[in-house]
Amino acid sequence: MLKIALPSIVAVFLGIIILTPQLNEIKKIKIDIPKLESSDKISFTMDNSSFYGQGDNGMMYSVNIKNFQENRVDDLMYFSNIDAKLFFKDASWINLTTDKGTYTKKDGNMLLSGNIYLVDNDNNEVFTDEAIIKLNSSEVEGSKPIKANTYFGVINGEGFNFKKDDKYIFNGKIKANIDTNKLGDKK
């Protein structure tokens, strides 16, 4: 019996001696778990988000956001790297990109900032660094310089106000280079 038990015990000890260094190597494996923001103000954080929906008057929208945070204290929402597409009932569309945005729930306003670029289906382009979108009144305004490249020319202003009823107001000193022949009946 000892002839069988003794070699078995030696084999188990040799196995333990051989496997122990390998088990230590297994202990060195790390699993990276992203750290969540521990701020009491931030109630919700989301990365690489996409939102789709339908707004007033049949408008459809698609919004891609790199980072989204909601502040539970001030009812603010923070966005970064926004790419939004708006599709209207009349088959027109707008594409908007910007670096940052802040939405205030209580007044329904969204402040966009940093490299705002807007292009529409008529290939009109708008460049500015700050815009306030008043969602309740469908107005967009800003006090930073704006440049608009349109089918009839280029307009530069120190500020702007675009209203729901297709009124485009440029504020401050305005410089425009307009080809009136391209305006046609819209003069």
Side-chain angles (χ1 to χ4, degrees), residues 142-154:
S143 58
K144 299 283 184 176
I146 182 171
K147 179 180 181 179
N149 295 329
T150 68
Y151 68 93
F152 57 83
V154 177

Side-chain angles (χ1 to χ4, degrees), residues 55-186:
D56 296 336
N57 300 325
M59 179 195 71
M60 306 286 288
Y61 62 88
S62 161
V63 181
N64 294 311
I65 300 168
K66 183 175 181 184
N67 181 270
F68 165 78
Q69 293 182 339
E70 183 177 20
N71 182 322
R72 69 173 73 143
V73 175
D74 298 330
D75 276 341
L76 296 174
M77 294 181 188
Y78 303 101
F79 304 91
S80 66
N81 296 340
I82 302 167
D83 183 2
K85 293 169 181 49
L86 308 173
F87 304 95
F88 300 98
K89 200 172 189 178
D90 65 356
S92 62
W93 55 267
I94 294 173
N95 187 34
L96 176 124
T97 59
T98 185
D99 294 339
K100 294 186 236 174
T102 304
Y103 175 69
T104 308
K105 288 182 185 180
K106 73 177 182 179
D107 61 9
N109 291 345
M110 179 171 241
L111 171 65
L112 301 178
S113 59
N115 299 316
I116 299 169
Y117 173 69
L118 183 140
V119 63
D120 67 11
N121 57 291
D122 291 328
N123 215 21
N124 296 313
E125 297 177 306
V126 175
F127 303 89
T128 188
D129 286 329
E130 186 177 281
I132 299 170
I133 301 173
K134 297 180 177 183
L135 298 173
N136 297 333
S137 62
S138 298
E139 288 185 56
V140 181
E141 65 183 25
S143 58
K144 299 283 184 176
I146 182 171
K147 179 180 181 179
N149 295 329
T150 68
Y151 68 93
F152 57 83
V154 177
I155 303 171
N156 291 294
E158 293 179 345
F160 62 94
N161 189 335
F162 299 153
K163 298 185 179 186
K164 180 170 78 171
D165 53 359
D166 291 334
K167 291 188 179 178
Y168 303 100
I169 300 167
F170 292 86
N171 303 324
K173 293 180 182 177
I174 299 169
K175 182 179 178 184
N177 185 4
I178 297 173
D179 185 351
T180 56
N181 294 328
K182 292 183 179 179
L183 290 175
D185 296 332
K186 297 181 181 182

